[in-house]
């Protein structure tokens, strides 16, 4: 959003500006996607409690 405001106010004429102004949006989307993938992998690697051990959710309730 900041880069869009700069684009509107300063109106830079550089050829590369068209690609750079959207870079923060692409980086934010990439970071969100990476977080989702890593979180899914973390949850898949976590083993359920064995035997009569209560899970964190059951103990919290």
């Amino acid at each position: 959003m900041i880069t869009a405001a700069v684009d509107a106010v300063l109106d830079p004429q550089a050829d590369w500006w068209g690609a750079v102004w959207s870079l923060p949006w692409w980086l934010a989307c990439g970071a969100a996607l990476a977080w989702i993938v890593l979180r899914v992998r973390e949850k898949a690697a976590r083993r359920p409690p064995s035997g009569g051990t209560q899970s964190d959710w059951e103990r919290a309730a």
Side-chain angles (χ1 to χ4, degrees):
M1 289 186 279
I2 293 171
T3 56
V6 170
D7 184 34
V9 173
L10 298 179
D11 193 26
Q13 298 299 319
D15 294 334
W16 49 266
W17 182 251
V20 173
W21 78 270
S22 63
L23 187 61
W25 295 102
W26 286 104
L27 291 175
C29 292
L33 182 61
W35 180 82
I36 290 169
V37 169
L38 292 173
R39 183 69 174 149
V40 167
R41 288 185 57 154
E42 178 188 16
K43 285 187 171 248
R46 189 175 185 190
R47 296 179 185 217
S50 60
T53 307
Q54 292 182 337
S55 69
D56 294 341
W57 290 103
E58 291 171 341
R59 280 185 280 173

